[in-house]
Amino acid sequence: SDWEGCLSVPGLRGEVPRWAHIRYSGFDEFGQTIDRTVDGFHARVVQHECDHLDGTLYPQRMRDLKKFIFESEIQHWLKRERDEEDE
């Protein structure tokens, strides 16, 4: 899980579970086949954008809506998570 935001839901962020490592295939803008295996941020962005194609927004993927917050609150949440890890 990591924090995501989206222009479709402006001013908000949410903690969203995503696969850390994915493989996808398709065609580029020239009609050439692509087949990629990616991880990290790239994998998260591909899943986020594929959700849009299916009409799904990231809040619908969230498991805990208590972690659906205003962007101005993100530093508070990150500090809280660090403090909990240190305990």
Side-chain angles (χ1 to χ4, degrees):
S1 289
D2 204 354
W3 293 94
E4 286 188 27
C6 183
L7 295 174
S8 297
V9 189
L12 295 165
R13 293 276 188 254
E15 190 177 70
V16 183
R18 300 277 186 193
W19 294 104
H21 183 85
I22 64 168
R23 178 180 176 195
Y24 66 95
S25 60
F27 300 95
D28 69 12
E29 66 272 25
F30 306 107
Q32 300 297 313
T33 302
I34 59 170
D35 188 350
R36 295 188 177 143
T37 301
V38 298
D39 58 15
F41 185 70
H42 188 154
R44 178 171 292 279
V45 169
V46 170
Q47 293 169 85
H48 177 105
E49 296 305 328
C50 284
D51 275 353
H52 280 298
L53 296 174
D54 291 332
T56 301
L57 297 176
Y58 77 87
Q60 295 167 279
R61 295 266 182 217
M62 294 176 62
R63 293 188 179 146
D64 183 356
L65 290 178
K66 290 183 286 188
K67 294 183 178 179
F68 189 40
I69 61 174
F70 290 103
E71 285 179 340
S72 60
E73 303 274 321
I74 193 75
Q75 293 306 319
H76 164 77
W77 276 94
L78 293 174
K79 181 184 181 316
R80 180 177 163 187
E81 287 177 344
R82 283 191 302 269
D83 290 348
E84 288 174 0
E85 288 173 4
D86 291 343
E87 292 178 355

Coordinates of all heavy atoms in Angstrom, one line a residue:
S1 N 0.8 -1.2 0.0 CA 0.0 0.0 0.0 C 0.9 1.2 0.0 O 2.0 1.3 0.6 CB -0.9 0.0 1.2 OG -1.9 -1.0 1.1
D2 N 0.4 2.3 -0.6 CA 1.0 3.6 -0.6 C 0.0 4.6 -0.9 O -1.1 4.3 -1.3 CB 2.2 3.6 -1.7 CG 3.2 4.6 -1.3 OD1 3.1 5.4 -0.4 OD2 4.2 4.7 -2.1
W3 N 0.4 5.9 -0.7 CA -0.5 7.0 -0.9 C -0.7 7.3 -2.4 O 0.3 7.4 -3.1 CB -0.1 8.2 -0.2 CG -0.1 8.0 1.3 CD1 0.9 7.5 2.1 CD2 -1.2 8.2 2.2 NE1 0.4 7.4 3.4 CE2 -0.9 7.8 3.5 CE3 -2.5 8.6 1.9 CZ2 -1.7 7.9 4.5 CZ3 -3.4 8.7 3.0 CH2 -3.0 8.3 4.3
E4 N -1.9 7.6 -2.9 CA -2.2 8.0 -4.2 C -3.1 9.2 -4.2 O -3.8 9.5 -3.3 CB -2.9 6.9 -5.0 CG -2.0 5.8 -5.4 CD -2.7 4.8 -6.3 OE1 -3.7 5.1 -7.1 OE2 -2.3 3.6 -6.3
G5 N -3.0 10.0 -5.3 CA -3.9 11.1 -5.6 C -4.3 11.0 -7.1 O -3.8 10.2 -7.8
C6 N -5.2 11.9 -7.5 CA -5.7 11.8 -8.8 C -6.4 13.2 -9.1 O -7.1 13.7 -8.3 CB -6.7 10.7 -9.0 SG -7.3 10.5 -10.7
L7 N -6.2 13.6 -10.4 CA -6.9 14.8 -10.8 C -8.4 14.7 -10.8 O -9.1 15.6 -10.8 CB -6.4 15.3 -12.2 CG -4.9 15.7 -12.2 CD1 -4.5 16.0 -13.6 CD2 -4.7 16.9 -11.3
S8 N -8.9 13.4 -10.9 CA -10.3 13.1 -10.8 C -10.9 13.3 -9.5 O -12.1 13.4 -9.3 CB -10.6 11.7 -11.3 OG -10.2 11.5 -12.7
V9 N -10.0 13.3 -8.4 CA -10.5 13.5 -7.0 C -9.5 14.6 -6.5 O -8.6 14.3 -5.6 CB -10.4 12.2 -6.2 CG1 -11.0 12.3 -4.9 CG2 -11.0 11.1 -7.0
P10 N -9.6 15.8 -6.9 CA -8.6 16.9 -6.5 C -8.6 17.2 -5.0 O -9.6 17.2 -4.4 CB -9.1 18.1 -7.3 CG -10.5 17.9 -7.7 CD -10.7 16.4 -7.7
G11 N -7.3 17.4 -4.6 CA -7.1 17.8 -3.2 C -7.2 16.7 -2.2 O -7.1 17.0 -1.0
L12 N -7.3 15.5 -2.6 CA -7.4 14.4 -1.7 C -6.3 13.3 -1.9 O -5.8 13.2 -3.1 CB -8.8 13.7 -1.7 CG -9.9 14.6 -1.3 CD1 -11.3 14.1 -1.7 CD2 -9.9 14.8 0.2
R13 N -6.0 12.5 -0.9 CA -5.1 11.4 -1.1 C -5.7 10.2 -0.3 O -6.4 10.4 0.6 CB -3.7 11.7 -0.4 CG -3.0 12.8 -1.1 CD -2.2 12.2 -2.3 NE -1.3 13.2 -2.9 CZ -1.5 13.8 -4.0 NH1 -2.6 13.5 -4.7 NH2 -0.6 14.6 -4.5
G14 N -5.2 9.0 -0.7 CA -5.7 7.8 -0.1 C -4.6 6.8 -0.1 O -3.8 6.7 -1.1
E15 N -4.6 5.9 0.9 CA -3.7 4.8 0.9 C -4.3 3.6 0.1 O -5.4 3.1 0.5 CB -3.4 4.3 2.3 CG -2.2 3.3 2.3 CD -1.8 3.0 3.7 OE1 -2.6 2.3 4.4 OE2 -0.8 3.4 4.2
V16 N -3.7 3.2 -1.0 CA -4.2 2.2 -1.9 C -3.3 1.0 -2.0 O -2.1 1.2 -2.3 CB -4.5 2.9 -3.3 CG1 -5.1 1.9 -4.2 CG2 -5.3 4.1 -3.2
P17 N -3.9 -0.2 -1.9 CA -3.0 -1.4 -2.1 C -2.9 -1.6 -3.6 O -3.9 -1.5 -4.4 CB -3.8 -2.5 -1.4 CG -5.2 -2.1 -1.5 CD -5.2 -0.6 -1.4
R18 N -1.7 -1.9 -4.1 CA -1.5 -2.2 -5.5 C -0.4 -3.4 -5.5 O 0.4 -3.5 -4.6 CB -0.9 -1.0 -6.2 CG -1.8 0.2 -6.3 CD -2.8 0.1 -7.4 NE -3.5 1.3 -7.5 CZ -4.6 1.5 -8.2 NH1 -5.1 0.5 -8.8 NH2 -5.2 2.6 -8.2
W19 N -0.4 -4.1 -6.6 CA 0.7 -5.1 -6.8 C 2.0 -4.3 -7.0 O 2.0 -3.3 -7.6 CB 0.4 -5.9 -8.1 CG -0.8 -6.8 -7.9 CD1 -2.0 -6.5 -8.5 CD2 -0.9 -8.0 -7.2 NE1 -2.9 -7.6 -8.2 CE2 -2.2 -8.4 -7.3 CE3 0.0 -8.7 -6.4 CZ2 -2.7 -9.6 -6.7 CZ3 -0.5 -9.8 -5.8 CH2 -1.8 -10.3 -6.0
A20 N 3.0 -4.8 -6.4 CA 4.3 -4.1 -6.4 C 5.1 -4.4 -7.7 O 5.9 -3.7 -8.2 CB 5.2 -4.6 -5.3
H21 N 4.7 -5.5 -8.4 CA 5.4 -6.0 -9.6 C 4.4 -6.5 -10.6 O 3.5 -7.3 -10.2 CB 6.3 -7.1 -9.2 CG 7.2 -7.7 -10.2 ND1 8.4 -7.1 -10.6 CD2 7.0 -8.8 -11.0 CE1 8.9 -7.8 -11.5 NE2 8.1 -8.8 -11.8
I22 N 4.4 -6.0 -11.8 CA 3.4 -6.4 -12.8 C 4.0 -6.6 -14.2 O 5.1 -6.1 -14.5 CB 2.2 -5.4 -13.0 CG1 2.7 -4.0 -13.5 CG2 1.4 -5.3 -11.7 CD1 1.6 -3.1 -13.9
R23 N 3.3 -7.3 -15.0 CA 3.7 -7.5 -16.4 C 2.5 -7.0 -17.2 O 1.3 -7.4 -16.9 CB 4.0 -8.9 -16.8 CG 4.4 -9.1 -18.2 CD 4.7 -10.5 -18.5 NE 4.9 -10.7 -19.9 CZ 5.0 -11.9 -20.5 NH1 4.8 -13.0 -19.9 NH2 5.2 -11.9 -21.8
Y24 N 2.7 -6.2 -18.3 CA 1.6 -5.8 -19.2 C 2.1 -5.8 -20.6 O 3.3 -5.7 -20.9 CB 1.0 -4.5 -18.7 CG 2.0 -3.3 -18.9 CD1 1.9 -2.5 -20.0 CD2 2.8 -2.9 -17.9 CE1 2.7 -1.4 -20.2 CE2 3.6 -1.8 -18.0 CZ 3.6 -1.0 -19.1 OH 4.4 0.1 -19.3
S25 N 1.1 -5.9 -21.5 CA 1.5 -5.9 -22.9 C 0.4 -5.1 -23.6 O -0.7 -4.9 -23.2 CB 1.6 -7.3 -23.5 OG 0.3 -8.0 -23.3
G26 N 0.7 -4.7 -24.8 CA -0.2 -3.9 -25.6 C 0.5 -3.4 -26.9 O 1.5 -4.0 -27.3
F27 N 0.1 -2.2 -27.3 CA 0.7 -1.6 -28.5 C 1.1 -0.2 -28.3 O 0.3 0.5 -27.6 CB -0.3 -1.7 -29.7 CG -0.7 -3.1 -30.0 CD1 -1.9 -3.6 -29.5 CD2 0.1 -3.9 -30.8 CE1 -2.2 -4.9 -29.8 CE2 -0.3 -5.2 -31.1 CZ -1.5 -5.7 -30.6
D28 N 2.2 0.3 -28.8 CA 2.5 1.7 -28.7 C 1.8 2.5 -29.7 O 1.0 2.0 -30.5 CB 4.1 1.8 -28.7 CG 4.7 1.6 -30.1 OD1 3.9 1.5 -31.1 OD2 5.9 1.5 -30.1
E29 N 2.2 3.8 -29.7 CA 1.5 4.7 -30.7 C 1.7 4.5 -32.1 O 1.1 5.0 -33.0 CB 1.8 6.2 -30.3 CG 3.3 6.6 -30.5 CD 4.2 6.3 -29.4 OE1 3.9 5.4 -28.5 OE2 5.3 7.0 -29.3
F30 N 2.7 3.6 -32.4 CA 3.1 3.2 -33.8 C 2.5 1.9 -34.2 O 2.8 1.3 -35.3 CB 4.6 3.3 -34.0 CG 5.2 4.6 -33.6 CD1 6.0 4.7 -32.5 CD2 4.9 5.8 -34.4 CE1 6.5 6.0 -32.1 CE2 5.5 7.0 -34.0 CZ 6.3 7.1 -32.9
G31 N 1.8 1.2 -33.3 CA 1.3 -0.1 -33.5 C 2.2 -1.2 -33.2 O 1.9 -2.4 -33.5
Q32 N 3.4 -0.9 -32.7 CA 4.4 -1.9 -32.3 C 4.0 -2.6 -31.0 O 3.6 -1.9 -30.1 CB 5.8 -1.3 -32.2 CG 6.2 -0.7 -33.5 CD 6.3 -1.7 -34.7 OE1 6.9 -2.7 -34.5 NE2 5.8 -1.3 -35.8
T33 N 4.2 -3.9 -30.9 CA 3.9 -4.6 -29.7 C 4.9 -4.2 -28.6 O 6.1 -4.0 -28.8 CB 4.0 -6.1 -29.9 OG1 3.1 -6.5 -31.0 CG2 3.7 -6.9 -28.7
I34 N 4.3 -4.0 -27.4 CA 5.1 -3.8 -26.2 C 4.8 -4.9 -25.2 O 3.7 -5.4 -25.1 CB 5.0 -2.4 -25.6 CG1 3.5 -2.2 -25.1 CG2 5.5 -1.3 -26.5 CD1 3.3 -0.9 -24.3
D35 N 5.8 -5.3 -24.4 CA 5.6 -6.3 -23.4 C 6.6 -5.9 -22.3 O 7.8 -6.0 -22.5 CB 5.9 -7.7 -23.9 CG 5.6 -8.8 -22.9 OD1 5.3 -8.5 -21.7 OD2 5.6 -10.0 -23.3
R36 N 6.1 -5.4 -21.2 CA 6.9 -4.9 -20.1 C 6.7 -5.6 -18.8 O 5.5 -5.9 -18.5 CB 6.7 -3.4 -20.0 CG 7.1 -2.6 -21.2 CD 7.1 -1.2 -21.0 NE 7.6 -0.5 -22.2 CZ 7.1 0.6 -22.6 NH1 6.1 1.3 -22.0 NH2 7.6 1.2 -23.7
T37 N 7.7 -5.7 -18.0 CA 7.6 -6.1 -16.6 C 8.2 -5.0 -15.8 O 9.3 -4.5 -16.1 CB 8.5 -7.4 -16.4 OG1 7.9 -8.4 -17.3 CG2 8.4 -7.9 -15.0
V38 N 7.4 -4.5 -14.9 CA 7.8 -3.3 -14.2 C 7.5 -3.4 -12.7 O 6.7 -4.3 -12.3 CB 7.1 -2.0 -14.7 CG1 7.5 -1.8 -16.2 CG2 5.6 -2.1 -14.6
D39 N 8.1 -2.6 -11.9 CA 7.8 -2.6 -10.4 C 7.8 -1.2 -9.9 O 7.9 -0.2 -10.6 CB 8.8 -3.5 -9.7 CG 10.2 -3.0 -9.9 OD1 10.5 -1.9 -10.3 OD2 11.1 -3.8 -9.5
G40 N 7.5 -1.0 -8.6 CA 7.5 0.2 -7.9 C 6.5 1.2 -8.5 O 5.3 0.9 -8.8
F41 N 6.9 2.5 -8.6 CA 6.0 3.6 -9.0 C 5.4 3.3 -10.4 O 4.2 3.6 -10.6 CB 6.8 4.9 -9.0 CG 5.9 6.1 -9.3 CD1 4.9 6.5 -8.4 CD2 6.0 6.8 -10.5 CE1 4.1 7.6 -8.6 CE2 5.3 7.9 -10.7 CZ 4.3 8.3 -9.8
H42 N 6.2 2.8 -11.3 CA 5.8 2.5 -12.7 C 4.6 1.5 -12.6 O 3.6 1.7 -13.3 CB 6.9 1.9 -13.5 CG 6.6 1.8 -15.0 ND1 7.5 1.8 -16.0 CD2 5.4 1.6 -15.7 CE1 7.0 1.6 -17.2 NE2 5.7 1.5 -17.0
A43 N 4.7 0.5 -11.8 CA 3.7 -0.5 -11.7 C 2.4 0.1 -11.1 O 1.3 -0.2 -11.6 CB 4.1 -1.7 -10.8
R44 N 2.6 1.0 -10.1 CA 1.4 1.6 -9.5 C 0.7 2.5 -10.5 O -0.5 2.5 -10.6 CB 1.9 2.5 -8.3 CG 0.8 3.3 -7.6 CD 1.3 3.9 -6.3 NE 1.6 2.8 -5.3 CZ 0.7 2.2 -4.6 NH1 -0.6 2.6 -4.7 NH2 1.0 1.3 -3.7
V45 N 1.4 3.3 -11.3 CA 0.8 4.2 -12.2 C 0.0 3.4 -13.3 O -1.1 3.8 -13.7 CB 1.9 5.1 -12.9 CG1 1.3 5.9 -14.1 CG2 2.4 6.1 -11.8
V46 N 0.6 2.3 -13.8 CA -0.1 1.5 -14.8 C -1.4 1.0 -14.3 O -2.4 1.1 -14.9 CB 0.8 0.4 -15.3 CG1 0.0 -0.6 -16.2 CG2 2.0 0.9 -16.1
Q47 N -1.4 0.5 -13.0 CA -2.6 0.0 -12.4 C -3.6 1.1 -12.2 O -4.8 0.9 -12.5 CB -2.3 -0.7 -11.1 CG -1.5 -2.0 -11.3 CD -0.9 -2.5 -10.0 OE1 -1.6 -3.2 -9.3 NE2 0.3 -2.1 -9.7
H48 N -3.2 2.2 -11.8 CA -4.1 3.4 -11.6 C -4.7 3.8 -12.9 O -6.0 4.0 -12.9 CB -3.2 4.5 -11.0 CG -4.0 5.8 -10.8 ND1 -4.3 6.2 -9.5 CD2 -4.4 6.7 -11.6 CE1 -5.0 7.4 -9.6 NE2 -5.0 7.7 -10.9
E49 N -3.9 3.9 -13.9 CA -4.5 4.3 -15.2 C -5.4 3.2 -15.8 O -6.4 3.6 -16.5 CB -3.4 4.7 -16.2 CG -2.6 5.9 -15.7 CD -3.4 7.2 -15.4 OE1 -4.5 7.4 -16.1 OE2 -3.1 8.0 -14.5
C50 N -5.0 2.0 -15.7 CA -5.9 0.9 -16.2 C -7.3 0.9 -15.4 O -8.3 0.6 -16.0 CB -5.2 -0.5 -16.0 SG -4.0 -0.7 -17.3
D51 N -7.2 1.2 -14.1 CA -8.5 1.4 -13.4 C -9.4 2.4 -14.1 O -10.6 2.3 -14.2 CB -8.2 1.8 -11.9 CG -8.0 0.6 -11.1 OD1 -8.1 -0.6 -11.5 OD2 -7.6 0.8 -9.9
H52 N -8.8 3.6 -14.5 CA -9.6 4.6 -15.2 C -10.3 4.0 -16.4 O -11.4 4.4 -16.7 CB -8.7 5.8 -15.6 CG -8.4 6.7 -14.5 ND1 -9.3 7.4 -13.8 CD2 -7.2 7.1 -13.9 CE1 -8.8 8.2 -12.9 NE2 -7.5 8.0 -12.9
L53 N -9.6 3.2 -17.1 CA -10.2 2.6 -18.4 C -11.4 1.8 -18.0 O -12.3 1.6 -18.8 CB -9.2 1.8 -19.1 CG -8.0 2.6 -19.7 CD1 -7.0 1.6 -20.3 CD2 -8.4 3.6 -20.7
D54 N -11.4 1.2 -16.8 CA -12.5 0.4 -16.3 C -13.6 1.2 -15.5 O -14.5 0.7 -15.0 CB -12.0 -0.7 -15.4 CG -11.3 -1.8 -16.2 OD1 -11.5 -1.9 -17.4 OD2 -10.4 -2.4 -15.6
G55 N -13.3 2.5 -15.4 CA -14.3 3.4 -14.7 C -14.1 3.3 -13.2 O -15.0 3.7 -12.4
T56 N -12.9 2.9 -12.7 CA -12.7 2.8 -11.3 C -11.7 3.9 -10.8 O -10.7 4.2 -11.5 CB -12.0 1.4 -11.0 OG1 -12.9 0.4 -11.4 CG2 -11.7 1.2 -9.5
L57 N -12.1 4.6 -9.7 CA -11.2 5.6 -9.1 C -10.6 5.0 -7.9 O -11.1 4.1 -7.2 CB -12.0 6.8 -8.8 CG -12.6 7.6 -9.9 CD1 -13.5 8.7 -9.4 CD2 -11.6 8.0 -10.9
Y58 N -9.4 5.5 -7.5 CA -8.6 4.9 -6.4 C -9.4 4.8 -5.1 O -9.1 3.8 -4.4 CB -7.3 5.6 -6.3 CG -7.3 6.9 -5.6 CD1 -7.3 7.0 -4.2 CD2 -7.4 8.1 -6.3 CE1 -7.3 8.2 -3.5 CE2 -7.5 9.3 -5.6 CZ -7.4 9.4 -4.3 OH -7.5 10.6 -3.6
P59 N -10.3 5.7 -4.7 CA -11.0 5.5 -3.5 C -11.8 4.1 -3.4 O -11.9 3.5 -2.4 CB -11.9 6.7 -3.4 CG -11.3 7.7 -4.2 CD -10.6 7.0 -5.3
Q60 N -12.2 3.7 -4.6 CA -12.9 2.4 -4.6 C -12.0 1.2 -4.4 O -12.4 0.1 -4.1 CB -13.5 2.2 -6.0 CG -14.6 3.2 -6.3 CD -15.1 3.3 -7.7 OE1 -14.4 3.9 -8.5 NE2 -16.2 2.6 -8.0
R61 N -10.7 1.4 -4.4 CA -9.7 0.3 -4.1 C -9.2 0.4 -2.7 O -8.5 -0.5 -2.2 CB -8.5 0.5 -5.0 CG -8.7 0.3 -6.5 CD -8.5 -1.1 -6.8 NE -8.7 -1.3 -8.3 CZ -9.2 -2.4 -8.8 NH1 -9.5 -3.4 -8.0 NH2 -9.4 -2.6 -10.0
M62 N -9.5 1.5 -2.0 CA -9.0 1.6 -0.6 C -9.7 0.6 0.3 O -10.8 0.3 0.2 CB -9.3 3.0 -0.1 CG -8.5 4.1 -0.9 SD -8.9 5.8 -0.4 CE -8.4 5.7 1.4
R63 N -8.9 0.1 1.3 CA -9.4 -0.8 2.3 C -9.8 -0.2 3.6 O -10.6 -0.7 4.3 CB -8.3 -1.9 2.6 CG -8.0 -2.8 1.4 CD -7.1 -3.9 1.7 NE -6.9 -4.7 0.6 CZ -5.7 -5.3 0.3 NH1 -4.7 -5.2 1.2 NH2 -5.6 -6.1 -0.7
D64 N -9.3 1.0 3.8 CA -9.5 1.8 5.0 C -9.8 3.2 4.7 O -8.9 4.0 4.5 CB -8.3 1.6 6.0 CG -8.6 2.3 7.3 OD1 -9.6 2.9 7.6 OD2 -7.7 2.2 8.2
L65 N -11.1 3.6 4.7 CA -11.4 5.0 4.3 C -11.0 6.0 5.4 O -11.1 7.2 5.1 CB -12.9 5.1 4.0 CG -13.3 4.4 2.7 CD1 -14.9 4.5 2.6 CD2 -12.6 4.9 1.5
K66 N -10.5 5.6 6.6 CA -9.9 6.5 7.5 C -8.7 7.1 7.0 O -8.2 8.1 7.4 CB -9.7 5.8 8.9 CG -10.9 5.5 9.6 CD -10.6 4.9 11.0 CE -10.2 3.5 10.7 NZ -10.0 2.7 12.0
K67 N -8.1 6.4 5.9 CA -6.9 6.9 5.3 C -7.2 7.6 4.0 O -6.4 7.6 3.0 CB -5.9 5.8 5.1 CG -5.4 5.2 6.4 CD -4.4 4.2 6.3 CE -3.9 3.7 7.7 NZ -2.9 2.6 7.5
F68 N -8.3 8.2 3.9 CA -8.8 9.0 2.8 C -8.8 10.5 3.3 O -9.6 10.8 4.1 CB -10.1 8.6 2.3 CG -10.6 9.2 1.0 CD1 -9.7 9.4 -0.1 CD2 -11.9 9.6 0.9 CE1 -10.2 10.0 -1.3 CE2 -12.4 10.2 -0.3 CZ -11.5 10.4 -1.4
I69 N -7.7 11.3 2.9 CA -7.5 12.5 3.6 C -7.3 13.7 2.6 O -7.0 13.5 1.5 CB -6.3 12.4 4.6 CG1 -5.0 12.1 3.8 CG2 -6.5 11.4 5.6 CD1 -3.8 12.0 4.6
F70 N -7.3 14.9 3.2 CA -7.0 16.1 2.4 C -5.5 16.1 2.2 O -4.7 15.7 3.1 CB -7.4 17.4 3.1 CG -8.9 17.5 3.1 CD1 -9.7 17.3 4.2 CD2 -9.6 18.0 1.9 CE1 -11.1 17.4 4.2 CE2 -10.9 18.1 1.9 CZ -11.7 17.8 3.0
E71 N -5.0 16.6 1.1 CA -3.6 16.7 0.8 C -2.8 17.4 1.9 O -1.7 17.1 2.3 CB -3.3 17.4 -0.5 CG -3.6 16.5 -1.7 CD -3.3 17.2 -3.0 OE1 -3.3 18.4 -3.1 OE2 -3.2 16.5 -4.0
S72 N -3.5 18.4 2.5 CA -2.8 19.2 3.6 C -2.6 18.4 4.8 O -1.8 18.8 5.7 CB -3.7 20.4 3.9 OG -5.0 20.0 4.4
E73 N -3.2 17.2 4.9 CA -3.0 16.3 6.1 C -1.9 15.3 5.9 O -1.6 14.5 6.8 CB -4.3 15.6 6.4 CG -5.5 16.5 6.6 CD -5.5 17.0 8.1 OE1 -5.3 16.2 9.0 OE2 -5.9 18.1 8.3
I74 N -1.4 15.1 4.7 CA -0.5 14.0 4.4 C 0.7 14.0 5.3 O 1.2 12.9 5.7 CB -0.1 14.0 2.9 CG1 0.6 12.6 2.5 CG2 0.8 15.1 2.5 CD1 -0.4 11.5 2.4
Q75 N 1.3 15.1 5.5 CA 2.5 15.2 6.4 C 2.2 14.6 7.8 O 3.0 13.9 8.4 CB 3.1 16.6 6.4 CG 3.7 17.0 5.1 CD 4.7 16.1 4.5 OE1 5.6 15.5 5.3 NE2 4.6 15.8 3.2
H76 N 1.0 15.0 8.3 CA 0.6 14.5 9.6 C 0.5 12.9 9.6 O 1.0 12.3 10.5 CB -0.8 15.1 9.9 CG -1.5 14.3 11.0 ND1 -1.2 14.5 12.4 CD2 -2.5 13.4 11.0 CE1 -2.0 13.7 13.1 NE2 -2.8 13.1 12.3
W77 N -0.1 12.4 8.5 CA -0.2 10.9 8.4 C 1.2 10.2 8.3 O 1.4 9.2 8.9 CB -1.1 10.5 7.3 CG -2.5 10.6 7.7 CD1 -3.4 11.6 7.5 CD2 -3.3 9.6 8.3 NE1 -4.6 11.3 8.0 CE2 -4.6 10.1 8.5 CE3 -3.0 8.3 8.8 CZ2 -5.6 9.3 9.1 CZ3 -3.9 7.5 9.4 CH2 -5.2 8.0 9.6
L78 N 2.1 10.8 7.5 CA 3.4 10.2 7.3 C 4.2 10.2 8.6 O 4.8 9.2 9.0 CB 4.2 10.9 6.2 CG 3.6 10.8 4.8 CD1 4.3 11.7 3.8 CD2 3.6 9.3 4.4
K79 N 4.1 11.3 9.4 CA 4.7 11.4 10.7 C 4.1 10.4 11.6 O 4.9 9.7 12.3 CB 4.6 12.8 11.3 CG 5.3 12.9 12.6 CD 5.1 14.3 13.2 CE 5.8 14.5 14.6 NZ 5.7 13.4 15.5
R80 N 2.8 10.2 11.6 CA 2.2 9.3 12.5 C 2.6 7.8 12.2 O 2.9 7.0 13.1 CB 0.7 9.4 12.3 CG -0.1 8.5 13.2 CD -1.6 8.7 13.0 NE -2.4 7.6 13.4 CZ -3.7 7.5 13.3 NH1 -4.4 8.5 12.7 NH2 -4.3 6.4 13.7
E81 N 2.7 7.5 10.9 CA 3.2 6.2 10.5 C 4.6 5.9 10.9 O 4.9 4.8 11.4 CB 3.1 6.0 8.9 CG 1.6 5.8 8.5 CD 1.5 5.7 7.0 OE1 2.5 6.1 6.2 OE2 0.5 5.3 6.5
R82 N 5.5 6.9 10.8 CA 6.9 6.8 11.2 C 6.9 6.6 12.7 O 7.7 5.7 13.2 CB 7.7 8.0 10.8 CG 8.1 8.0 9.3 CD 9.1 9.1 9.0 NE 8.7 10.4 9.4 CZ 8.0 11.3 8.6 NH1 7.7 10.9 7.4 NH2 7.7 12.5 9.0
D83 N 6.2 7.4 13.5 CA 6.1 7.2 14.9 C 5.7 5.8 15.3 O 6.2 5.2 16.3 CB 5.2 8.3 15.5 CG 5.8 9.7 15.4 OD1 7.0 9.8 15.1 OD2 5.1 10.7 15.7
E84 N 4.7 5.3 14.7 CA 4.2 4.0 15.0 C 5.2 2.9 14.7 O 5.3 1.9 15.4 CB 2.9 3.7 14.2 CG 1.7 4.5 14.8 CD 0.4 4.3 13.9 OE1 0.5 3.5 12.9 OE2 -0.6 4.9 14.3
E85 N 6.0 3.1 13.6 CA 7.0 2.1 13.3 C 8.1 2.1 14.3 O 8.8 1.1 14.6 CB 7.6 2.4 11.9 CG 6.7 2.1 10.8 CD 7.2 2.6 9.4 OE1 8.4 3.1 9.4 OE2 6.5 2.4 8.4
D86 N 8.4 3.3 14.9 CA 9.5 3.4 15.9 C 9.1 2.8 17.2 O 10.0 2.5 18.1 CB 9.9 4.9 16.1 CG 10.5 5.5 14.9 OD1 11.0 4.7 14.0 OD2 10.6 6.7 14.7
E87 N 7.8 2.6 17.5 CA 7.4 2.1 18.8 C 7.7 0.6 18.9 O 7.8 -0.2 18.1 CB 5.9 2.3 19.0 CG 5.6 3.8 19.2 CD 4.1 4.1 19.3 OE1 3.3 3.2 19.2 OE2 3.8 5.2 19.6

